[in-house]
Amino acid sequence: MSGIRTLIQKKVAFYGAGSMAEAIARGLISRGVLSPSSITMMNRSNRERLQELENKYGVITARETAAKEDVLQTTDVIILSMKPKDAAEALRYLGPLLSPGQLVVSVIAGMTIETMQTLLGKKHPVVRTMPNTSSTIGLGATGIAFSEEVSDEDQHLVRTLFEAVGIVTIVDESTIETLTGISGSGPAYIYYMMEAMMEAGVRGGLSSEQARDLTVQTVLGAARMVQQTGESPQDLRKKVTSPNGSTEAAIGVLAKGHFKETVHAAVDRCAERSREMGNALKEEIN
Ligand SMILES: NC(=O)C1=CN([C@@H]2O[C@H](COP(=O)(O)OP(=O)(O)OC[C@H]3O[C@@H](n4cnc5c(N)ncnc54)[C@H](O)[C@@H]3O)[C@@H](O)[C@H]2O)C=CC1
Ligand SMILES: O=C(O)[C@@H]1CCC=N1
């Protein structure tokens, strides 16, 4: 891959090698933003998983403690991509290894910039992001909040990294939990809706393949309609809904089941849960 020109000439390490790390790494590689040889992935102890990532994407992996330590000491951008419960230990370990030129980027739900810097033991430049798994295919949606210490150049770098795998919005840190409730966790709500539509299709006599194809195309088409026509979902919904017709009947059932209120409550609960996870991490400081 060394002959391929890539957009960013920086080394990036994923500290945590699960689904989110894979989604971003895969997106960055397939979009030609980073070469696989610029990416190092590491996890706590699952060597088979690292072998799988090496085989699939040609990335470098760090398995032994000394190799991991070397990566964490020398890589330009370290992407924290472990679960919140593992973050405190990892950040405490990382802090003393970091030198000033390195940038720490977190995708961890709930963990605040303040908590990150406290656990690192210094006011190191850190970035709090909330991406989603659609980054895998370049259709991610990522919210980003920077600590004061992040230089303009590094802000640009992080933006470029995440824009390569979807859209980016820079937000005030205070809104990132709500953003998690919309776009971070949002794909799961849409999948849940799709599961229900497919099940209903099969119950009504469609084959599972038909139900799947029709549901997928319907979700895709609806999202594209909002994007490409510029019309609001409400106006587009009205165009589907003939007076006294079948759609109106269906929407009536959803409204009776408090569909909108349920979605609002789900988003609120997601944001609240992110805050709870953040608070649990904060408590680990003392
Ligand atoms: N999955 C998703 O849709 C999204 C996840 N996130 C965030 O991404 C983070 C990771 O989530 P997933 O990828 O779903 O989790 P996962 O469980 O698939 O992956 C976590 C990885 O972290 C590694 N790890 C744990 N402790 C470690 C340590 N001390 N040193 C090195 N590696 C360590 C594990 O071995 C594993 O490879 C979470 O904090 C989550 O909040 C953010 C946005 C979306
Ligand atoms: O479920 C979670 O906690 C993570 C954060 C956003 C999506 N997945």
Side-chain angles (χ1 to χ4, degrees), residues 196-227:
M197 287 169 71
M198 288 186 225
E199 282 162 14
V202 170
R203 276 179 52 206
L206 295 171
S207 71
S208 50
E209 199 188 351
Q210 288 168 327
R212 182 189 155 93
D213 289 351
L214 292 166
T215 302
V216 171
Q217 183 70 0
T218 300
V219 172
L220 196 62
R224 285 260 170 86
M225 282 290 281
V226 177
Q227 192 180 46

Side-chain angles (χ1 to χ4, degrees), residues 16 23 50 71 84 106 109 177 182 191 211 215:
L50 293 182
V71 169
S106 164
E177 275 86 15
I182 304 294
Y191 299 139
T215 302

Side-chain angles (χ1 to χ4, degrees), residues 7 11 15 93 96 112 119 156 182 191 199 206 267 277:
L7 205 59
K11 299 270 183 211
Y15 189 11
Y93 177 70
T112 64
L119 287 165
H156 180 72
I182 304 294
Y191 299 139
E199 282 162 14
L206 295 171
V267 171
M277 295 190 296

